[in-house]
Amino acid sequence: LCHFAAGEEATTDTPPSDEIPDPVRSFEEAFFKYPDILTTVRAQGFTEPSPIQCQAWPVLLQGKDLIGIAQTGTGKTLAFLLPALIHIDNQPVPRSERGGPNVLVLAPTRELALQIEMEVKKYDYHDIKCVCLYGGGSRKDQVDIVLKGVEIVIATPGRLNDLCVAGYINLSSITYLILDEADRMLDMGFEPQIRKVLLDVRPDRQTVMTSATWPEGVRRLAKSYTKGAVQVYVGTLDL
Ligand code: ADP
Ligand code: MG
């Protein structure tokens, strides 16, 4: 388990390694300021955070970008999701006046997008609402949910791009972006759609990227979409 500032192309944006917060050792240490988060985590019956969660939570709660390179099953969803819920709560503008969602999760497949949606719904946190947008699902049903108001959009890049082009979704209120399983999204040929939809996302947002591997294409995406990211590598979660 190690952590260091990202990238061969280290720039002045990259914080020196002594600014990287130490990993936490417990849920309590990570979320002592957020008792409702602790309550929801405890309800899951988990005994301790996974290595990537220990590393990711303090980094993300400081508002830094994060790149998590870790195999499937290492607990990446909660690593980015719990800070996302806190991020939504912490926005100064009341939810009804934000003009759109604050969190966007891009995922490579419908199955993964639906799994992430299930996690959000399971946590059922502070009435935060989400929509899951994927090809094959009813466009009309998806748009109806968006129009009722959501804080989190979970989407495959193709469908999201369709709905953005059609004018149903405005990403200008996104302040927390997640590119989940970036390597698989590239393998599936989604780079053009990713690049198109992200043209509209605020440059001052926070970004999390996860990937099982770290090939050139993923590094290229990281360079385009993260700033001074803390990079974390981990092995598998011993369940
Ligand atoms: P990944 O995205 O890295 O493939 P997931 O986030 O889908 O992994 O998590 C894999 C499984 O581990 C899920 O069933 C999740 O509920 C569970 N899990 C997540 N965090 C913990 C934890 N701290 N302790 C035990 N199980 C966990
Ligand atoms: Mg995952």
Side-chain angles (χ1 to χ4, degrees):
L1 185 67
C2 66
H3 60 185
F4 51 88
E8 292 89 335
E9 304 89 12
T11 68
T12 48
D13 283 323
T14 307
S17 57
D18 61 0
E19 280 184 24
I20 298 172
D22 286 336
V24 294
R25 283 150 299 181
S26 64
F27 296 115
E28 289 71 19
E29 203 184 329
F31 300 115
F32 67 93
K33 286 189 198 154
Y34 309 100
D36 292 355
I37 289 279
L38 277 177
T39 306
T40 58
V41 170
R42 288 199 184 105
Q44 305 302 312
F46 297 153
T47 52
E48 56 178 12
S50 72
I52 198 160
Q53 292 164 358
C54 293
Q55 292 274 358
W57 287 333
V59 170
L60 291 174
L61 291 176
Q62 278 194 7
K64 289 182 164 59
D65 286 1
L66 181 94
I67 298 168
I69 316 280
Q71 294 299 323
T72 301
T74 49
K76 292 189 289 298
T77 312
L78 276 195
F80 62 68
L81 193 58
L82 298 182
L85 299 175
I86 291 168
H87 176 94
I88 291 166
D89 261 2
N90 282 349
Q91 297 310 299
V93 180
R95 275 188 213 168
S96 57
E97 295 165 27
R98 293 182 195 172
N102 291 140
V103 171
L104 170 63
V105 188
L106 287 178
T109 65
R110 161 203 165 113
E111 287 68 31
L112 270 161
L114 285 167
Q115 269 175 33
I116 297 164
E117 182 193 32
M118 266 172 50
E119 290 279 303
V120 175
K121 294 204 159 151
K122 194 165 77 187
Y123 284 87
D124 187 23
Y125 186 72
H126 289 185
D127 202 32
I128 287 173
K129 296 192 182 63
C130 69
V131 66
C132 191
L133 310 174
Y134 50 88
S138 153
R139 260 172 82 107
K140 181 177 181 305
D141 290 353
Q142 293 174 3
V143 168
D144 284 347
I145 300 172
V146 171
L147 294 177
K148 278 191 216 133
V150 294
E151 287 75 38
I152 304 179
V153 171
I154 303 156
T156 54
R159 177 55 62 99
L160 181 64
N161 185 44
D162 287 352
L163 295 178
C164 286
V165 169
Y168 290 117
I169 297 182
N170 172 7
L171 298 179
S172 64
S173 51
I174 298 292
T175 46
Y176 189 108
L177 166 71
I178 298 140
L179 300 169
D180 195 23
E181 304 213 9
D183 50 354
R184 284 187 67 196
M185 289 202 283
L186 293 180
D187 288 346
M188 296 183 63
F190 280 136
E191 185 164 358
Q193 288 94 330
I194 293 172
R195 294 206 176 264
K196 253 180 99 181
V197 292
L198 294 186
L199 288 174
D200 295 337
V201 175
R202 294 162 59 127
D204 60 348
R205 70 184 180 268
Q206 185 176 6
T207 306
V208 185
M209 198 166 124
T210 82
S211 188
T213 57
W214 187 231
E216 173 52 31
V218 177
R219 283 192 287 239
R220 191 170 64 231
L221 273 192
K223 201 176 170 203
S224 299
Y225 298 112
T226 65
K227 254 192 213 163
V230 174
Q231 190 168 334
V232 180
Y233 280 93
V234 291
T236 49
L237 179 63
D238 243 341
L239 288 170

